[in-house]
Structure formats: structure tokens, C-alpha cells
Amino acid sequence: QVQLVESGGGLVQPGGSLRLSCAASGSIFSIGDMGWYRQAPGKQRELVAAITSGGRTNYADSVKGRFTISRDNAKNTVYLQMNVLNPDDTAVYYCNADVRPMGTVYGHGFWGQGTQVTVSS
């Protein structure tokens, strides 16, 4: 059983910062790409940032220069540092990871439960 658990969401004023964490736990053989997605009310879920197991990153244009994704492979954890937040960043943020469970041949995507980020004065 593999679980992804996010933490770090909350309410922040425009211009503020938040750091999200997502820890994978359970019977894990390996983890490939990890990423953060977000879904605002009435909108489709969109990719915010992703990172490969080797540390290569990519970002949505809307967050480049403001958000930084990183990971700690020893802790099976991915982070999203979010700076200079604005109201358009308000959404539920979801962690996603390509996990190969123990005893399997292939990995597949797992999702966290989501954490709310609200940017408002």
C-alpha cells in the first residue's frame, strides 16, 4: 500500500510564501518523477512543477521564477517552495508521484489527497 501525504497549505497574504511537502510511504521499491498539480474552482487540474529522480525540473510558465520544486530521495519527499504568491495561485494543490511498489514490475501514478492554498488579504 502506497500513500502520498501532503502538508503545508494554508492562508497567506499576497506577496507571501508557503512551502508544501509531500511524503510517500508504504511498500515502495522506487520512485520516478514527482510533481505538483493544482486545481482552482471551476478549472481543470494543471501541472505546476515536476522533478525527475535525477533532479531535472520543469515549471508552468505562470510560476517560473516564483516557485521551486525539490526532492529528498532518501525521505521519499517532494517539496514546493512558493514565493510571491498572488490570488491566482489559490487552488487545491495535489502531489503526484510515479511509484513502483515492492513486488511489481512497473510503476504508476499515485496522488495525494490535496492541500488547500488560499492567497487573500
Side-chain angles (χ1 to χ4, degrees), residues 34 49-52 54-59 64 67-71:
M34 303 182 83
I51 185 168
T52 68
R56 190 162 52 193
T57 60
N58 71 283
Y59 297 91
K64 281 180 182 176
F67 290 11
T68 302
I69 189 170
S70 61
R71 65 190 284 172

Side-chain angles (χ1 to χ4, degrees), residues 26-116:
S27 186
I28 296 171
F29 180 82
S30 64
I31 302 177
D33 295 351
M34 303 182 83
W36 289 95
Y37 290 72
R38 68 186 181 187
Q39 187 166 19
K43 294 188 177 180
Q44 289 189 325
R45 191 173 297 189
E46 62 175 359
L47 175 67
V48 176
I51 185 168
T52 68
S53 57
R56 190 162 52 193
T57 60
N58 71 283
Y59 297 91
D61 287 343
S62 59
V63 307
K64 281 180 182 176
R66 300 188 298 120
F67 290 11
T68 302
I69 189 170
S70 61
R71 65 190 284 172
D72 184 333
N73 291 331
K75 296 181 179 179
N76 290 337
T77 300
V78 63
Y79 306 95
L80 186 68
Q81 177 66 43
M82 304 185 293
N83 299 327
V84 196
L85 285 159
N86 63 65
D88 289 340
D89 297 315
T90 296
V92 178
Y93 284 69
Y94 296 91
C95 171
N96 176 270
D98 182 25
V99 179
R100 179 181 167 186
M102 288 285 193
T104 64
V105 177
Y106 301 105
H108 62 276
F110 287 82
W111 290 93
Q113 80 286 357
T115 185
Q116 177 71 46

